[in-house]
Amino acid sequence: DGGITQSPKYLFRKEGQNVTLSCEQNLNHDAMYWYRQDPGQGLRLIYYSQIVNDFQKGDIAEGYSVSREKKESFPLTVTSAQKNPTAFYLCASSPDSLTGELFFGEGSRLTVL
Amino acid sequence: GNSVTQMEGPVTLSEEAFLTINCTYTATGYPSLFWYVQYPGEGLQLLLKATKADDKGSNKGFEATYRKETTSFHLEKGSVQVSDSAVYFCALSRGRDDKIIFGKGTRLHILP
């Protein structure tokens, strides 16, 4: 089935460690996005990419990094510079920028111990 | 700038009650409007959308009408079920490579 796969679903990390969240899609979508979700704050955009080898910062990019080497993949690295990384992370893709419709993965919950 | 404001939750209703979740927006031009739903422990799913004024989006018994005069896109359902318990997000997009703007979400809890 076509869709977006995020892994791992749950992840624990010690302070000072970098961690990479995987996002893979087989929908042939050009655009991909990473959002962070915290209770009571809705979704905040971290990074987005509209084409391979190109990406832009969203509203809260500090402490995060991404790459887009393949159309299907958009991994997110949470670095040790991110001061409050415990959150639910959502990856999404979009067939084109005109519709504004997003398709989401099931999310990855990161907990810093 | 563009923004979406939706009613704060949680909203608690009994099964078969009528549901309204308010959403208003601020945007230049003519944005597309969306309602997404997030079930516990999952990502968001598109529930319905409307792309121009007076359009009505509908799905799974939910409806929302794009009201440009009141800049609103309120979500309604005539008879809710326990399975409708989720968080609902209103969103807008102007397309043309613009970022999608989400509201903060409204948690809905339906009692049997």
Side-chain angles (χ1 to χ4, degrees), chain A residues 46-58:
Chain A
I46 304 172
Y47 269 98
Y48 62 106
S49 167
Q50 293 175 317
I51 196 168
V52 174
N53 292 322
D54 188 39
F55 48 84
Q56 288 79 41
K57 293 182 179 180

Side-chain angles (χ1 to χ4, degrees), chain A residues 9 35 37 40-43 45 48 50 58-59 88 90 97-107, chain B residues 32 34 36 38 41-46 49 87 89 93-100 102-105:
Chain A
K9 192 169 178 69
Y35 288 90
Q37 185 176 19
Q41 295 201 46
L43 275 69
L45 183 63
Y48 62 106
Q50 293 175 317
D59 301 316
F88 190 54
L90 287 162
S97 60
L98 295 178
T99 67
E101 181 178 339
L102 295 177
F103 293 75
F104 283 85
E106 294 199 342
Chain B
S32 294
F34 306 85
Y36 284 84
Q38 183 180 32
E42 298 183 8
L44 279 69
Q45 305 172 25
L46 179 66
K49 67 179 181 181
V87 181
F89 292 89
S93 171
R94 295 191 301 158
R96 303 191 315 275
D97 300 331
D98 268 5
K99 295 178 291 184
I100 297 171
F102 286 89
K104 291 189 175 183

Side-chain angles (χ1 to χ4, degrees), chain A residues 11-63:
Chain A
L11 187 61
F12 298 88
R13 168 195 122 175
K14 294 182 180 180
E15 281 192 24
Q17 289 181 335
N18 291 357
V19 61
T20 297
L21 307 180
S22 170
C23 178
E24 302 280 331
Q25 55 102 355
N26 60 3
L27 300 169
N28 200 34
H29 289 173
D30 286 319
M32 296 187 74
Y33 308 79
W34 274 105
Y35 288 90
R36 171 178 171 143
Q37 185 176 19
D38 296 283
Q41 295 201 46
L43 275 69
R44 294 183 288 171
L45 183 63
I46 304 172
Y47 269 98
Y48 62 106
S49 167
Q50 293 175 317
I51 196 168
V52 174
N53 292 322
D54 188 39
F55 48 84
Q56 288 79 41
K57 293 182 179 180
D59 301 316
I60 56 164
E62 184 174 351

